[in-house]
Amino acid sequence: MTEPEPAIVVPNAWQSLRSLTAARIALGRTGVSLPTSAQLEFQLAHARARDAVHLPLDTAQLAQDLKGLEPDQPEPIVLASAAGDRLTYLQRPDLGRRLDERSRETLAALQPNAAGYDLALVVVDGLSALAIAQNAAPFLRALTQRLAVEDWSLAPITVVTQGRVAVGDEVGERLGARAVAVLIGERPGLSSPDSMGLYLSWAPRVGLTDAQRNCISNVRPEGLAVTEAGYKLHWLLRESRRRQLTGVDLKDETGDALEASAADDIKPAALRNFLLA
């Protein structure tokens, strides 16, 4: 009788924890190395992250996806940062924080709103156009439904290519908005090439620092769902307008507010799955 072959992969004792996280834990081993399957999965995740960084944003498709978010809302205005191409964008973060001259002229040519706008929504490709393509439209749909029942005046939605977070401050300033919310593709992780971040600034202007912004991170189906993210940003927007500030002076208290309200459609457990600065 032939003896069975010994198992090649030695399982890890913590393997059961893998059902709780997408993190690469308890992969087992073959000798002193990773199993071949784990190594191949790592290479695939790395390739997907690289693809997300270099994938160009399809602005025409995004404009189509954003149609009809608000009654009488014009088509999104497509702008560009001062970084002329992807290689320059990756090597010169400072250029990604400012608009190019043509985009400034485009905004200057708009008919000004005498009363100004309460909020400018700026969609930026950042380091993952994939995140914007998949998450921006569903999120804005969830957010604008909440804003529609209040007296928010929205500036025309803008889309910025080759942009960093701070480019939203220049857009908001040139539009005369009292607040700006930037939707941006985050730096891809090895298990999250599609993660979108949200940044909120009160009184946007060139030169703001990260301490003057609030951030909601990891917006994607496997992270913070768009409904929960919309709830959080809406809460921050209301508090920002009431107190006229953002950043380190504006703390997220949506957990307490949720308990005090009857927002039954938001699950408290899901609200813990985010990063807020």
Side-chain angles (χ1 to χ4, degrees):
M1 180 176 178
T2 305
E3 293 291 331
E5 291 286 339
I8 297 176
V9 177
V10 178
N12 186 286
W14 290 2
Q15 191 171 15
S16 61
L17 297 179
R18 295 189 62 188
S19 64
L20 304 175
T21 176
R24 286 182 168 74
I25 62 171
L27 300 176
R29 64 180 176 84
T30 301
V32 296
S33 303
L34 284 174
T36 300
S37 59
Q39 183 65 28
L40 292 175
E41 289 170 2
F42 175 84
Q43 291 175 344
L44 177 60
H46 187 251
R48 285 173 172 163
R50 288 178 60 89
D51 286 348
V53 170
H54 293 284
L55 180 71
L57 181 62
D58 187 341
T59 55
Q61 181 60 55
L62 181 60
Q64 185 70 26
D65 295 342
L66 296 179
K67 271 187 176 179
L69 286 177
E70 279 283 299
D72 304 324
Q73 183 75 16
E75 285 198 3
I77 301 170
V78 179
L79 308 172
S81 79
D85 54 57
R86 200 59 171 170
L87 181 59
T88 304
Y89 169 81
L90 293 173
Q91 295 178 337
R92 292 287 305 273
D94 57 320
L95 297 180
R97 299 183 184 113
R98 299 301 303 269
L99 293 172
D100 67 4
E101 192 57 37
R102 178 177 295 182
S103 298
R104 293 172 184 170
E105 293 172 358
T106 298
L107 293 180
L110 294 177
Q111 293 294 326
N113 184 335
Y117 298 104
D118 291 321
L119 176 64
L121 296 167
V122 183
V123 184
V124 184
D125 54 1
L127 286 165
S128 174
L130 176 68
I132 293 301
Q134 294 185 353
N135 302 309
F139 169 78
L140 287 176
R141 197 164 291 114
L143 177 66
T144 53
Q145 285 176 355
R146 293 183 177 278
L147 297 177
V149 298
E150 299 174 352
D151 57 339
W152 290 88
S153 61
L154 301 182
I157 294 175
T158 52
V159 177
V160 184
T161 59
Q162 314 291 12
R164 304 271 175 173
V165 171
V167 78
D169 294 329
E170 182 172 5
V171 175
E173 181 178 12
R174 291 179 180 275
L175 286 172
R178 284 175 278 280
V180 64
V182 175
L183 290 64
I184 188 168
E186 294 180 338
R187 185 186 307 277
L190 287 177
S191 60
S192 56
D194 59 341
S195 183
M196 184 176 74
L198 312 172
Y199 290 82
L200 172 63
S201 301
W202 177 257
R205 58 196 181 280
V206 174
L208 287 184
T209 67
D210 288 343
Q212 295 163 292
R213 298 185 240 279
N214 288 83
C215 172
I216 301 172
S217 182
N218 197 29
V219 181
R220 62 192 184 103
E222 292 77 19
L224 185 66
V226 294
T227 50
E228 284 84 359
Y231 173 83
K232 284 187 163 296
L233 184 58
H234 179 226
W235 187 92
L236 288 169
L237 280 166
R238 294 173 66 181
E239 289 302 304
S240 172
R241 184 163 67 168
R242 184 173 71 85
R243 306 183 201 180
Q244 301 195 359
L245 52 80
T246 48
V248 295
D249 293 324
L250 178 60
K251 303 300 182 186
D252 171 43
E253 297 170 351
T254 51
D256 295 338
L258 184 63
E259 292 176 2
S261 69
D264 295 333
D265 58 327
I266 308 296
K267 298 178 181 178
L271 295 180
R272 300 191 196 98
N273 188 16
F274 72 101
L275 297 174
L276 185 65

